[in-house]
Amino acid sequence: MPKLIVGNWKMNGLAAESLARVEKLAVAVENDSSNNFHMVVCPPATLLAPLGAKLKDKAIRWGGQDCHAAASGAFTGDIAAPMLKDLGCDFVILGHSERRGRHKETSADVAAKAKSAHAAGLVAIICVGELEAERDAGKHESVVGQQLSQSIPDTASPENTVIAYEPVWAIGTGKTASDDDIRQMHAFIRGKVGRMQILYGGSVKAANAREILHIDNVDGVLVGGASLKPEEFMAIASASKLT
Ligand code: PEP
């Protein structure tokens, strides 16, 4: 199965440089012969419309970085799942640790958002992951197990839900989990979610992508910082190649 390579641009990018970046990426994907990945970019909401126009006939799909649980209403500043769909999104990232941590989103909030995403026809990329202190205390599996059981709504299926395992201590820090830690956690998650795709995220870069992408039960990667550099992101995607 092709690997799923997702770029999370977070709150980065103004129109001119971002559209140039995505155009460069689209050309690189078109010229790539490895043929073993699907690519998704999740830019800030302000860029979804122009980016969608650029990518309309290209091989890269796009998504949002969050959505509200309601389909519409008096929620100033929020974005509803049908609005993302309206802009051509196929995906939405939910429960990223930056939202769980800084915006105090609970797993119940994430499940409600995922349900709304499913109703709108979006694939929910549900993020889970432990804090460093939780791993040090040997609680990583119980923390992730609880996040999974509480964040995945009953509308979820392997077709509309992707799980991203992102140890919080590895996000934006340059630290990656060891191959054994990734293998173990992905096997644990596989036992809970069956056929759903499971991504790894946390300081993935060109230099470590091949190793990570070929660990058992790693179906792709969620990439933050390195997704802002087209050559680096493309090198990560190309590392999906089988040989
Ligand atoms: C992320 O934001 O989901 C992420 C994994 O970031 P980074 O690749 O920069 O660690």
Side-chain angles (χ1 to χ4, degrees), residues 177-198:
S178 71
D179 289 5
D180 278 349
D181 289 345
I182 297 174
R183 188 175 297 106
Q184 235 168 52
M185 183 58 89
H186 279 241
F188 171 76
I189 296 173
R190 175 71 65 217
K192 306 272 178 202
V193 306
R195 283 194 305 110
M196 282 176 200
Q197 285 177 287
I198 308 170

Side-chain angles (χ1 to χ4, degrees), residues 48-160:
L48 283 169
L51 179 138
K54 291 265 179 230
L55 294 182
K56 216 160 86 162
D57 304 314
K58 309 283 190 225
I60 305 175
R61 294 152 87 197
W62 59 98
Q65 297 176 9
D66 180 45
C67 71
H68 197 276
S72 64
F75 302 104
T76 303
D78 281 317
I79 297 174
M83 295 171 178
L84 294 177
K85 191 67 189 173
D86 202 32
L87 290 174
C89 292
D90 288 316
F91 293 82
V92 60
I93 298 171
L94 295 173
H96 190 281
S97 65
E98 286 153 17
R99 297 206 61 88
R100 288 182 188 263
R102 294 170 194 267
H103 295 260
K104 305 290 172 245
E105 280 185 14
T106 64
S107 289
D109 295 330
V110 176
K113 290 176 176 207
K115 205 166 192 155
S116 189
H118 294 154
L122 296 170
V123 174
I125 301 174
I126 297 179
C127 303
V128 296
E130 80 284 356
L131 302 171
E132 191 154 30
E134 291 166 338
R135 176 162 283 272
D136 290 346
K139 292 183 182 158
H140 43 290
E141 285 193 354
S142 67
V143 167
V144 168
Q146 194 170 36
Q147 287 175 338
L148 289 170
S149 68
Q150 296 176 358
S151 305
I152 302 176
D154 55 10
T155 49
S157 72
E159 285 68 44
N160 67 16

Side-chain angles (χ1 to χ4, degrees), residues 191-214:
K192 306 272 178 202
V193 306
R195 283 194 305 110
M196 282 176 200
Q197 285 177 287
I198 308 170
L199 314 184
Y200 171 78
S203 299
V204 175
K205 43 188 186 277
N208 59 22
R210 177 168 301 279
E211 204 172 322
I212 292 171
L213 280 163
H214 291 87

Side-chain angles (χ1 to χ4, degrees), residues 8 10 96 98 166 170-172 201-204 222-225:
N8 173 15
K10 311 192 186 195
H96 190 281
E98 286 153 17
E166 300 204 299
I171 297 180
S203 299
V204 175
L222 178 52
V223 184

